[in-house]
Amino acid sequence: MVDGMVTGELTVGGRERTVLMRPPSEPGRPLVLVLHGNQSGGKKREWRDWTTFRTNADRWGIGVAFPQGWSACWADGRGVTLADEAGVDDVAFLRAVIEWSAERYETVAEHSIVAGISNGAFMAHRAGLEIGDLVPVFAAVAGGLPADLAGVKPTHAVSAILINGDGDPWVPIEGGHSRHRGPDGELRGRTYGLAESGQHWRELNGCAGAGETIRTDQSERELSGLGTGGTRILEWTVFGGGHTWPGVAIPAEHAGVPGANSTMEFDGAEEIWRFAQPLLTSPEDRKL
């Protein structure tokens, strides 16, 4: 174990997969799976250092897993990544990580949270749709619902915290298409924007009643009324925010890069945990 991290190797769908794990300090705790963005086309970042999940693990009493995408990306359902094109089953991989952690470190499988950015955010939406029995809450930063998954009927209601900057040039807050065009230059990989994604999840969960809106100089939060099993949807707009994780300072070498502007008003990991903690309910209560 180095710096509190261990490496796990799993075989899923005939492929060798890797996960870095910060085990919980005691058994019976939740697990957070942190999903990186698409790193297949450039320098790979040490994603475990770009959020505070790992450093806060003991204080929050959680295990933290950093699964590694296939070819440094996720098969998120848009059909545009190397993992999608290779037919990788990343839903099965995330389920395997949850079950592996529960068996080895006694985390509570049905109290797993999936949090991701960009390609990882799209994958978090997919996890919420397809493994909602184990994932009562997911968090998507800079990534809306893939339009091709809009017809998926989940088995369980799932709470979601959706965070987008309105200055993100790569994944606009109003949604759009992937930068990866088809062979004839056609647009593909459409994703919903923040408002459309939030509305879709509210409808899936049957959220009703009055919600709550909180506005500051730097952001606006819209919290839904209660849905099945007490689920809630939180839409968080960061004014001027780019394609970044809130609360993480941008390195000097990235200054001036389009979309490399991050809010320091709040820590994304802290707010995700604060939102998720009271919503880690049983799958029986959330069954649709």
Side-chain angles (χ1 to χ4, degrees):
M1 182 182 293
V2 178
D3 196 22
M5 303 286 286
V6 298
T7 300
E9 296 182 351
L10 295 76
T11 301
V12 181
R15 293 181 167 90
E16 296 297 322
R17 307 296 300 269
T18 303
V19 56
L20 295 177
M21 179 78 187
R22 174 61 162 77
S25 56
E26 59 184 43
R29 306 304 300 169
L31 173 70
V32 178
L33 293 85
V34 186
L35 308 186
H36 58 74
N38 191 336
Q39 300 178 349
S40 62
K43 182 180 179 181
K44 296 178 177 57
R45 300 169 179 168
E46 294 296 340
W47 181 234
R48 61 185 179 273
D49 297 324
W50 278 65
T51 77
T52 62
F53 281 115
R54 180 173 63 90
T55 55
N56 282 309
D58 287 345
R59 182 163 69 92
W60 296 340
I62 59 174
V64 184
F66 298 89
Q68 305 299 296
W70 181 260
S71 294
C73 60
W74 302 103
D76 57 29
R78 292 176 300 151
V80 299
T81 67
L82 294 177
D84 263 323
E85 292 169 357
V88 175
D89 188 346
D90 273 327
V91 173
F93 175 45
L94 297 186
R95 180 179 286 277
V97 170
I98 291 170
E99 293 172 347
W100 169 82
S101 175
E103 179 179 354
R104 177 163 295 194
Y105 301 110
E106 299 184 65
T107 51
V108 181
E110 61 268 27
H111 286 175
S112 299
I113 303 159
V114 176
I117 186 170
S118 193
N119 178 206
F122 305 138
M123 189 66 215
H125 280 277
R126 187 168 196 177
L129 288 170
E130 299 188 36
I131 50 174
D133 56 327
L134 300 181
V135 179
V137 184
F138 77 88
V141 177
L145 175 76
D148 285 348
L149 300 181
V152 175
K153 300 300 182 185
T155 59
H156 294 76
V158 173
S159 295
I161 175 170
L162 313 175
I163 304 173
N164 282 88
D166 63 9
D168 187 341
W170 307 119
V171 181
I173 196 168
E174 65 272 14
H177 293 83
S178 168
R179 290 171 290 153
H180 302 283
R181 300 291 186 97
D184 297 318
E186 67 272 18
L187 293 171
R188 48 184 198 150
R190 187 173 83 86
T191 54
Y192 287 0
L194 176 62
E196 193 176 7
S197 296
Q199 178 63 25
H200 187 83
W201 280 103
R202 289 195 300 273
E203 291 176 358
L204 288 176
N205 290 351
C207 293
E212 180 183 9
T213 300
I214 299 175
R215 186 182 178 95
T216 71
D217 290 340
Q218 299 183 44
S219 66
E220 182 175 272
R221 286 171 282 173
E222 295 187 13
L223 180 65
S224 74
L226 296 176
T228 300
T231 52
R232 309 197 82 158
I233 304 301
L234 177 60
E235 300 166 39
W236 199 321
T237 300
V238 178
F239 303 140
H243 199 66
T244 53
W245 187 274
V248 176
I250 301 301
E253 63 267 25
H254 293 168
V257 175
N261 42 302
S262 184
T263 182
M264 300 302 290
E265 181 188 35
F266 63 96
D267 181 319
E270 287 189 3
E271 294 299 335
I272 289 166
W273 174 242
R274 182 177 292 115
F275 173 78
Q277 188 176 12
L279 298 170
L280 299 178
T281 54
S282 72
E284 290 77 16
D285 291 339
R286 298 181 292 102
K287 193 166 181 61
L288 294 172

